[in-house]
């Protein structure tokens, strides 16, 4: 039987889907080339905003109608619980975000029972899914989840509810996983966690840190150092960060470890102190900007990207303008803007969702236009510099061009006339000649 996994949502889901693909393959199922070719469809769902959840549920409905053995996994399953079978009575199975390791077994049982077994599994919030460190062979980039769940309680966010308590995987296990990836040809790893700088704080990640709480705060910098020492690994990235984790110790890692990329994804959500406080983000505008200033004082080219929510309950024009000015002061290299969407059971869902849809849309557009101008300005400062780029492949927009990314996660493209050869995963030096808001254009240099 052939299977396919469809993924919605964040990188964490992308990573979980990959683990499921590896587990299904190991259990003897074959990966389908396309949906029409698949007997089994597994939908990895997201619930961070209402629209994301609807997409996954809609897709499942279509797959059921197409008579596929259909299962759902991920965040929307956990949020909806048994209700998912009221929405989709013919869904074959549903498992929560920490139970994906059971999918091959469940699929086997359903296939053997002629489609009668139906179940939903929500394994404890503290569990590490089995198969967590399984990867699909091939490729030079890999995600590695190091911190599961989230113990923050931002007012708007459903993630802690659905992904359970924070749990740091033992450093030994993470190091072994990355060593194994390196042996398979992986050159770049991206460490994942909702608030990844909290690695090792709630539970000890390193042997010997069990009783010493103060040393747990060093767990993440220590992990970065250990991974940088692995032969074959050329780049180490991570996402997402929080300003509180931008310590001197983290900065020292950037100074000492050239493999650790100088890019940080630091979701700010709002630039208004009043809104930040209501959200429970745990920093003020000033503290956030101080963290960015610290990184940029160390390296002015340090790439800083962010997430912003527009239209949070009670967000006034002044609050919104504060977000705009913060974004300008921080000089973000890139930003992702989201329109507020109330999630059942979160604290902010009790507040009236009082910013009109059209106004959310307007604020979104304003921030996008600001980012275009700012991105162009930030990128223009890089004209004339040489970027170290990992080659990804032919550019999507123009197949005569190659595309790759620098350490700051900036997209760099260059002409690659027939006869020139660039391998995916190879490191090249590109001299930047032209800047756009979203890409840099250059030419290879020796
Ligand atoms: N509404 C809109 N955006 C949200 N995000 C998280 N929860 C919500 C919500 N209820 C955004 C945040 C987060 C990103 C992944 O999604 O900006 O950083
Ligand atoms: Fe966790 Fe806050 Fe990020 Fe939501 S926004 S996932 S609560 S850190």
């Amino acid at each position: 039987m052939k299977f396919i996994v469809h993924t919605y949502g964040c990188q964490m889901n992308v990573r979980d889907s990959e683990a499921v693909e590896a587990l299904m393959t190991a259990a003897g199922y074959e990966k389908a080339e396309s949906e029409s070719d698949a007997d089994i469809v597994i939908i990895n769902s997201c619930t961070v905003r209402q629209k994301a959840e609807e997409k996954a549920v809609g897709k499942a409905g279509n797959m059921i109608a197409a008579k596929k053995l259909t299962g759902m996994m991920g965040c929307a399953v956990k949020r909806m619980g048994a209700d998912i079978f009221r929405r989709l009575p013919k869904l074959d199975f549903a498992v929560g975000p920490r139970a994906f390791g059971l999918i091959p077994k469940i699929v086997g049982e359903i296939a053997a029972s002629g489609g009668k077994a139906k179940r939903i599994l929500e394994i404890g919030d503290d569990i590490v899914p089995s198969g967590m460190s399984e990867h699909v062979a091939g490729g030079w980039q890999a995600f590695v989840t190091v911190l599961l769940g989230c113990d923050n309680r931002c007012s708007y966010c459903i993630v802690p509810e659905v992904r359970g308590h924070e749990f740091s995987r033992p450093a030994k296990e993470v190091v072994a996983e990355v060593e194994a990836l390196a042996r398979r040809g992986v050159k770049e790893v991206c460490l994942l966690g909702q608030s990844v700088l909290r690695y090792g704080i709630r539970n000890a990640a390193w042997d010997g840190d069990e009783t010493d709480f103060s040393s747990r705060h060093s767990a993440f910098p220590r992990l970065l150092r250990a991974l940088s020492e692995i032969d074959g690994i050329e780049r180490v990235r991570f996402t997402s960060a929080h300003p509180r984790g931008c310590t001197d110790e983290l900065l020292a890692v950037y100074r000492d470890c050239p493999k650790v990329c100088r890019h940080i994804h630091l979701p700010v959500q709002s630039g208004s102190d009043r809104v930040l406080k209501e959200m429970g983000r745990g920093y003020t505008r000033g503290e956030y900007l101080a963290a960015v200033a610290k990184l940029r004082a160390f390296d002015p080219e340090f790439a800083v990207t962010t997430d912003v929510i527009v239209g949070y309950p009670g967000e006034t024009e002044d609050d919104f303008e504060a977000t705009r000015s913060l974004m300008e002061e921080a000089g973000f290299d890139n930003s992702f803007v989201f329109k507020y969407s109330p999630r059942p059971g979160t604290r902010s869902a009790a507040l009236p969702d009082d910013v009109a849809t059209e106004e959310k849309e307007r604020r979104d557009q304003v921030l996008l236009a600001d980012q275009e101008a700012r991105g162009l300005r930030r990128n223009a400062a890089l004209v004339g510099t040489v970027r170290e780029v990992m080659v990804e492949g032919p550019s999507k927009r123009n197949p005569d061009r190659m595309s790759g990314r620098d350490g700051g996660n900036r997209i760099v493209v260059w002409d690659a006339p027939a006869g020139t050869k660039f391998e995916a995963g190879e490191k090249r030096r590109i001299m930047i000649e032209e800047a756009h808001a979203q890409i840099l254009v250059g030419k290879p240099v020796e």
Side-chain angles (χ1 to χ4, degrees):
M1 293 225 294
K2 291 188 179 177
F3 74 95
I4 197 162
V5 184
H6 283 303
T7 309
Y8 296 90
C10 67
Q11 285 123 323
M12 198 82 69
N13 269 14
V14 173
R15 169 62 198 123
D16 292 348
S17 292
E18 189 210 356
V20 169
E21 286 185 7
L23 291 168
M24 286 291 283
T25 311
Y29 297 94
E30 194 186 332
K31 193 175 162 186
E33 292 292 322
S34 66
E35 193 176 285
S36 55
D37 200 28
D39 312 294
I40 306 159
V41 180
I42 301 162
I43 294 152
N44 194 356
S45 60
C46 169
T47 188
V48 77
R49 286 168 295 277
Q50 182 62 32
K51 277 218 175 96
E53 184 174 296
E54 278 160 14
K55 273 193 211 153
V57 172
K59 183 77 184 176
N62 292 341
M63 294 300 98
I64 292 166
K67 301 264 186 283
K68 311 280 187 190
L69 191 168
T70 308
M72 279 183 82
M73 60 184 275
C75 300
V77 170
K78 177 79 186 214
R79 194 199 71 73
M80 294 171 79
D83 271 351
I84 203 159
F85 290 108
R86 274 189 274 280
R87 284 284 299 276
L88 299 164
K90 290 189 171 155
L91 184 69
D92 290 296
F93 70 91
V95 299
R98 290 196 179 190
F100 64 74
L102 299 165
I103 290 179
K105 187 166 165 269
I106 295 172
V107 169
E109 285 170 12
I110 294 173
S113 72
K116 284 192 207 79
K118 175 189 291 185
R119 48 174 121 182
I120 178 143
L121 283 165
E122 286 176 10
I123 294 202
D125 279 354
D126 278 310
I127 206 150
V128 179
S130 59
M132 186 85 229
S133 46
E134 297 303 314
H135 286 264
V136 170
W140 56 275
Q141 283 173 306
F143 288 128
V144 175
T145 302
V146 301
L147 183 80
L148 291 91
C150 186
D151 277 349
N152 288 343
R153 285 292 176 271
C154 305
S155 61
Y156 52 85
C157 189
I158 189 84
V159 170
E161 181 83 19
V162 296
R163 282 206 172 252
H165 282 301
E166 211 170 87
F167 179 82
S168 299
R169 294 178 61 208
K172 270 206 293 250
E173 204 175 293
V174 175
V175 171
E177 183 171 333
V178 176
E179 281 170 346
L181 288 168
R183 282 194 295 273
R184 285 189 184 183
V186 167
K187 294 177 176 172
E188 179 176 309
V189 289
C190 181
L191 310 180
L192 301 180
Q194 294 300 333
S195 194
V196 74
L197 302 182
R198 284 185 48 82
Y199 179 74
I201 292 179
R202 179 174 178 257
N203 64 292
W206 292 90
D207 293 340
D209 285 356
E210 282 77 6
T211 50
D212 182 1
F213 192 82
S214 64
S215 71
R216 290 195 192 175
H217 289 265
S218 307
F220 192 68
R222 227 174 126 184
L223 183 68
L224 291 174
R225 285 180 190 272
L227 300 180
S228 295
E229 278 175 15
I230 297 174
D231 283 340
I233 295 298
E234 294 179 29
R235 276 184 176 172
V236 181
R237 302 185 180 281
F238 59 83
T239 194
S240 292
H242 185 281
R244 223 178 254 168
C246 298
T247 57
D248 291 337
E249 232 184 318
L250 184 70
L251 222 64
V253 171
Y254 286 117
R255 192 188 57 227
D256 299 341
C257 307
K259 291 180 182 178
V260 178
C261 292
R262 294 184 181 181
H263 166 225
I264 197 160
H265 186 63
L266 201 58
V268 67
Q269 315 301 3
S270 171
S272 151
D273 274 329
R274 191 189 66 78
V275 175
L276 285 172
K277 191 157 179 215
E278 285 205 17
M279 288 177 164
R281 290 290 299 167
Y283 52 80
T284 61
R285 172 193 177 97
E287 284 161 349
Y288 182 93
L289 286 169
V292 174
K294 190 164 161 179
L295 297 167
R296 292 269 175 71
F298 164 69
D299 177 356
E301 287 179 2
F302 210 110
V304 184
T305 57
T306 204
D307 291 340
V308 171
I309 296 175
V310 290
Y312 184 80
E315 185 185 70
T316 63
E317 190 59 29
D318 283 351
D319 293 323
F320 172 66
E321 286 301 324
T323 297
R324 275 187 90 181
S325 71
L326 174 133
M327 292 179 80
E328 203 47 43
E329 275 183 56
F332 291 122
D333 294 270
N334 205 353
S335 53
F336 302 89
V337 183
F338 301 100
K339 285 172 266 189
Y340 174 73
S341 162
R343 307 308 292 127
T346 58
R347 269 183 289 129
S348 67
L351 304 169
D353 180 13
D354 57 1
V355 179
T357 308
E358 309 81 69
E359 181 57 17
K360 285 180 187 165
E361 183 60 34
R362 186 191 72 83
R363 292 180 187 179
D364 182 13
Q365 292 302 324
V366 169
L367 296 186
L368 281 174
D370 285 355
Q371 185 59 52
E372 277 288 298
R374 184 167 49 238
L376 181 59
R377 210 177 57 235
R378 290 278 305 162
N379 280 344
L382 300 175
V383 170
T385 65
V386 173
R387 318 304 303 165
E388 279 215 328
V389 170
M390 295 283 264
V391 178
E392 290 185 352
S395 149
K396 282 194 196 87
R397 287 193 216 158
N398 178 350
D400 293 331
R401 278 180 165 178
M402 290 301 289
S403 170
R405 280 173 199 265
D406 76 353
N409 216 28
R410 302 174 184 95
I411 299 171
V412 178
V413 303
W414 62 95
D415 282 334
T420 51
K421 220 171 142 13
F422 297 92
E423 298 268 347
E426 158 191 34
K427 205 181 249 170
R428 294 297 281 257
R429 288 159 56 79
I430 308 289
M431 156 82 88
I432 304 306
E433 296 176 320
E434 205 181 300
H436 300 267
Q438 301 287 344
I439 59 166
L440 295 164
V441 185
K443 66 161 190 263
V445 291
E446 284 321 308

